[in-house]
Amino acid sequence: MASNDIDFDEEFEKYLHQMFHIKPCDVKSKCDESVVEYFGVLSLTDIRSPERRLWYIYYSKQPEVDETLNRIFHKYGKKNMCEIFRKHTFSGVALRARVKSYFQDRKWHVKGNLLEAPAKCSFNSDQMIKVITELHHEERKMLYNFLCMKHNGMRKYFY
């Protein structure tokens, strides 16, 4: 991380503390893991045509992640898949839609949860991780900006 980059999580937490006038505490709060959603990407290798570049996107709540992955592994074969990305997110459905529309705009073949790079494209898993990470950060910034907008609107009434 460069010296001029800011850590979004820390800035977001500081802003929330300021917004709701909460003093920061050292004790980590316990959250209900059953409501935390995860979004992930699996790199898929087609053994019949290894030159195809495929990725499978998924989302699920925390307790259902293992069950979802087992279902996917059973369908495509565990040897043919490798998880390259998994992050918690505010809405897995929204991030999935954002990822699908991003790749559809670039003329990729998108069907269900499968993403396939065009035949003459040199896209690899490292580039996929970078793109998905950027889309994840955009989603979080959108939430942050929404909260800032609401806070500024409420501040007019209370200050």
Side-chain angles (χ1 to χ4, degrees):
M1 189 183 258
S3 62
N4 61 351
D5 289 342
I6 59 170
D7 185 17
F8 181 77
D9 290 331
E10 289 179 16
E11 289 297 316
F12 189 59
E13 186 173 341
K14 283 196 301 190
Y15 186 79
L16 287 176
H17 283 290
Q18 291 172 356
M19 184 167 91
F20 296 112
H21 306 289
I22 299 171
K23 293 180 183 175
C25 64
D26 295 332
V27 179
K28 292 280 186 182
S29 63
K30 302 258 182 187
C31 66
D32 184 9
E33 292 184 355
S34 65
V35 297
V36 176
E37 284 194 25
Y38 280 82
F39 177 84
V41 179
L42 300 165
S43 177
L44 176 62
T45 305
D46 187 0
I47 55 175
R48 291 174 286 186
S49 67
E51 67 277 354
R52 288 177 69 192
R53 286 170 304 284
L54 299 164
W55 290 272
Y56 188 92
I57 56 177
Y58 72 91
Y59 65 92
S60 65
K61 294 195 180 211
Q62 171 63 30
E64 302 163 354
V65 169
D66 291 333
E67 179 184 321
T68 303
L69 286 175
N70 286 336
R71 191 179 72 247
I72 297 167
F73 288 154
H74 180 71
K75 183 175 182 180
Y76 293 101
K78 191 170 188 170
K79 292 180 183 179
N80 303 330
M81 300 193 98
C82 174
E83 186 168 35
I84 60 171
F85 183 87
R86 184 194 300 181
K87 289 274 187 180
H88 60 279
T89 184
F90 179 71
S91 171
V93 177
L95 187 55
R96 176 181 177 263
R98 181 181 287 265
V99 168
K100 284 179 71 170
S101 68
Y102 177 86
F103 286 108
Q104 280 176 337
D105 291 345
R106 279 145 187 80
K107 307 295 185 227
W108 280 40
H109 180 68
V110 178
K111 183 178 179 187
N113 291 329
L114 275 177
L115 305 172
E116 182 176 356
K120 300 198 186 221
C121 180
S122 63
F123 207 80
N124 61 23
S125 290
D126 292 334
Q127 291 167 323
M128 176 63 83
I129 293 169
K130 182 181 177 195
V131 168
I132 300 292
T133 302
E134 288 172 2
L135 293 172
H136 180 255
H137 284 298
E138 283 179 23
E139 190 79 18
R140 293 184 64 166
K141 282 183 181 180
M142 206 168 64
L143 176 63
Y144 177 78
N145 290 337
F146 174 76
L147 287 173
C148 291
M149 179 188 70
K150 286 294 188 183
H151 173 66
N152 290 334
M154 293 298 287
R155 197 167 61 180
K156 291 177 186 176
Y157 295 109
F158 294 114
Y159 299 110

